[in-house]
Amino acid sequence: MSRDRIRIAGADVAVVGGSIAGCATALAAHRGGAGRVTVFERTTGHLADRGVGLVVHDARYAELTSAGYMDTGMPWVQLTTGRWYVRDGAAPLGRQIGARPFPFRSYCWGPLWQELRRRLPRDTVFRPGVRVAAVGEAADGVTLRLDGADGDEASAGNGERHRTDTAAGTSAGRHTERFDLVIGADGYRSVVRDTAFPGVRPDYAGYLAWRGAVPADRLTALRFPGLPADPWAEEDCIYGVFPGGHVIIYRIPDGQGGHRANWVLYTAPPAGLDLGLDTPTSLPPGTLTDALHAHFTYVTDELLPPYWGGLMRLTPRHELFIQPMYDFTAARYTAGRLVLAGDAATVARPHTGAGAVKALQDAAALEAALRAVPERPDALTAYGTGRGATGRTMVELGRRLGRALVQDTPDWRTLDQAGLEAAWAAADGSGTFGGRELKN
């Protein structure tokens, strides 16, 4: 890619990917001085309907609020305590082996994305249903080869809709468009990253995350003798641990003034089951195989305490989806006029509690770099190397936590509070759980 000096003021910027990282980096480009920002999102689905949960460490929230990427207008639930349980016969909740501080805010992906989308300026061009098939080099710029009908419309930042200017080259079918700068925020299968760093490939970690989010009204179906109807506090994050894995359960806002119980189960698939996961993929809702569903039922029935396993089974099979664990990072986040952010640059296992956080931090750091380019032509390069170092730290942390919590678990039943503290300290010796401090 061309490495000539980039003029940010008035630049024509493309953002590939329209999820949280894409909306945040589009906002960064606007604030950094870009002239026009176009966001390409390959899906046509309603992203605001995505109901999975995520968490943001309180300290990272303060940093991102100061940088202008989060605020109290984004619905959240305040979490304070992580409680760790093992199965103990028929005891509904199991036996608590310990508790640790858990200073996080929880969010629902869809409402958080929607709030970021609303913050985009009105002149942001949002083009759903367009796939970026290839990235190429042009004189003083970058070309994108686009496939798709462009949905016939584009969305302004405030959520209103307006007709796309088809005469300006956004018509249906395959065509090529040129931009001064391209930001890859297109996830772990990023076409922008493949162009910038073709040798970087995600590595399958050998285990999966089963995910679900249970609406509050379904929880009333859980009834155990002697157990209150609502036996866990709103501010609690539950860890249900067993040999070879764990589940993490916490409440998230549902975007309508209520809550859901978000859960993520980490464990390996049954031995000998070939899921073809060497190539990055996922199993969306409705695609769970019989063998995987049987394994899910075994874990919830036999390995977890009855209440927590029962809560997870309130998610019907057609709503379950599976996220295989991959990890990788690009050595740096820039290559000429190509810039990476979010999962396109780094995927760290979700144990780190920093997926969405790192994407927002990338955006804040990118904004600072774009603002600095007129005085410091190397500012984007500094962004690339600095965020690359952060990505490596998060990948290493995710691998350590994965070994401790899934792949080489202790005998949880023998641990007490002191044993839990020691096990956690060994896994997170760097103290980076929840994301690294943002330093511009």
Side-chain angles (χ1 to χ4, degrees), residues 24-317:
T25 52
L27 186 58
H30 275 292
R31 291 174 174 175
R36 186 180 72 159
V37 178
T38 304
V39 180
F40 296 97
E41 169 53 44
R42 63 184 178 85
T43 68
T44 56
H46 196 46
L47 297 181
D49 290 338
R50 293 185 180 178
V52 297
L54 58 95
V55 293
V56 177
H57 193 283
D58 288 354
R60 304 295 82 77
Y61 171 79
E63 295 165 5
L64 292 167
T65 298
S66 177
Y69 287 86
M70 300 198 80
D71 58 45
T72 56
M74 300 172 174
W76 85 96
V77 174
Q78 182 65 62
L79 306 174
T80 64
T81 307
R83 300 190 183 277
W84 296 61
Y85 291 91
V86 294
R87 187 178 179 96
D88 187 13
L93 300 181
R95 175 171 57 85
Q96 182 174 310
I97 62 174
R100 301 193 72 259
F102 196 84
F104 285 80
R105 291 171 170 236
S106 71
Y107 293 84
C108 185
W109 196 101
L112 178 59
W113 171 85
Q114 193 168 42
E115 289 298 322
L116 285 167
R117 172 76 178 275
R118 285 173 179 158
R119 284 156 172 75
L120 292 175
R122 291 178 60 88
D123 60 352
T124 306
V125 181
F126 197 100
R127 293 165 59 180
V130 179
R131 183 178 72 91
V132 176
V135 180
E137 188 169 6
D140 298 328
V142 182
T143 60
L144 299 182
R145 194 178 78 226
L146 307 174
D147 290 342
D150 212 19
D152 212 23
E153 292 178 321
S155 298
N158 62 359
E160 297 176 0
R161 303 184 69 82
H162 60 85
R163 182 68 56 179
T164 300
D165 182 7
T166 55
T170 59
S171 57
R174 175 173 292 184
H175 60 283
T176 299
E177 297 182 23
R178 178 206 170 278
F179 297 89
D180 297 312
L181 183 72
V182 170
I183 301 171
D186 47 340
Y188 64 97
R189 290 179 287 189
S190 170
V191 66
V192 181
R193 187 192 66 249
D194 280 348
T195 302
F197 306 106
V200 176
R201 290 288 184 273
D203 294 323
Y204 174 50
Y207 62 97
L208 312 173
W210 280 256
R211 302 191 68 138
V214 182
D217 57 0
R218 290 187 198 168
L219 296 177
T220 59
L222 288 175
R223 287 288 183 266
F224 291 87
L227 200 65
D230 190 8
W232 56 302
E234 180 177 302
E235 64 270 17
D236 284 353
C237 175
I238 305 302
Y239 282 82
V241 292
F242 57 90
H246 71 285
V247 65
I248 181 169
I249 304 171
Y250 53 87
R251 288 181 173 88
I252 61 173
D254 63 5
Q256 301 174 351
H259 291 161
R260 296 175 183 167
N262 182 78
W263 60 264
V264 189
L265 170 69
Y266 299 96
T267 193
L273 189 62
D274 183 10
L275 299 175
L277 300 179
D278 289 339
T279 299
T281 188
S282 62
L283 283 77
T287 62
L288 200 65
T289 66
D290 289 342
L292 286 174
H293 190 256
H295 187 64
F296 170 76
T297 302
Y298 165 71
V299 172
T300 55
D301 283 355
E302 304 294 335
L303 302 184
L304 289 168
Y307 181 87
W308 309 119
L311 181 153
M312 296 160 64
R313 289 195 303 277
L314 293 175
T315 303
R317 177 172 175 170

Side-chain angles (χ1 to χ4, degrees), residues 252-416:
I252 61 173
D254 63 5
Q256 301 174 351
H259 291 161
R260 296 175 183 167
N262 182 78
W263 60 264
V264 189
L265 170 69
Y266 299 96
T267 193
L273 189 62
D274 183 10
L275 299 175
L277 300 179
D278 289 339
T279 299
T281 188
S282 62
L283 283 77
T287 62
L288 200 65
T289 66
D290 289 342
L292 286 174
H293 190 256
H295 187 64
F296 170 76
T297 302
Y298 165 71
V299 172
T300 55
D301 283 355
E302 304 294 335
L303 302 184
L304 289 168
Y307 181 87
W308 309 119
L311 181 153
M312 296 160 64
R313 289 195 303 277
L314 293 175
T315 303
R317 177 172 175 170
H318 68 271
E319 292 181 9
L320 287 171
F321 73 96
I322 288 182
Q323 175 185 358
M325 293 294 96
Y326 298 97
D327 41 33
F328 73 93
T329 188
R332 62 187 188 279
Y333 285 20
T334 51
R337 293 175 178 266
L338 301 182
V339 177
L340 301 178
D343 286 352
T346 295
V347 167
R349 303 180 204 180
H351 315 298
T352 61
V357 169
K358 201 192 74 62
L360 294 172
Q361 288 180 323
D362 289 347
L366 178 59
E367 178 190 342
L370 293 173
R371 288 178 181 272
V373 163
E375 290 76 35
R376 285 182 44 225
D378 66 338
L380 271 180
T381 300
Y383 162 83
T385 55
R387 296 310 291 168
T390 297
R392 289 191 294 276
T393 297
M394 298 315 301
V395 167
E396 291 163 4
L397 172 62
R399 288 170 175 164
R400 289 199 305 273
L401 291 174
R403 285 192 293 271
L405 295 173
V406 181
Q407 296 166 303
D408 189 18
T409 56
D411 186 350
W412 299 109
R413 296 168 300 176
T414 67
L415 299 188
D416 55 11

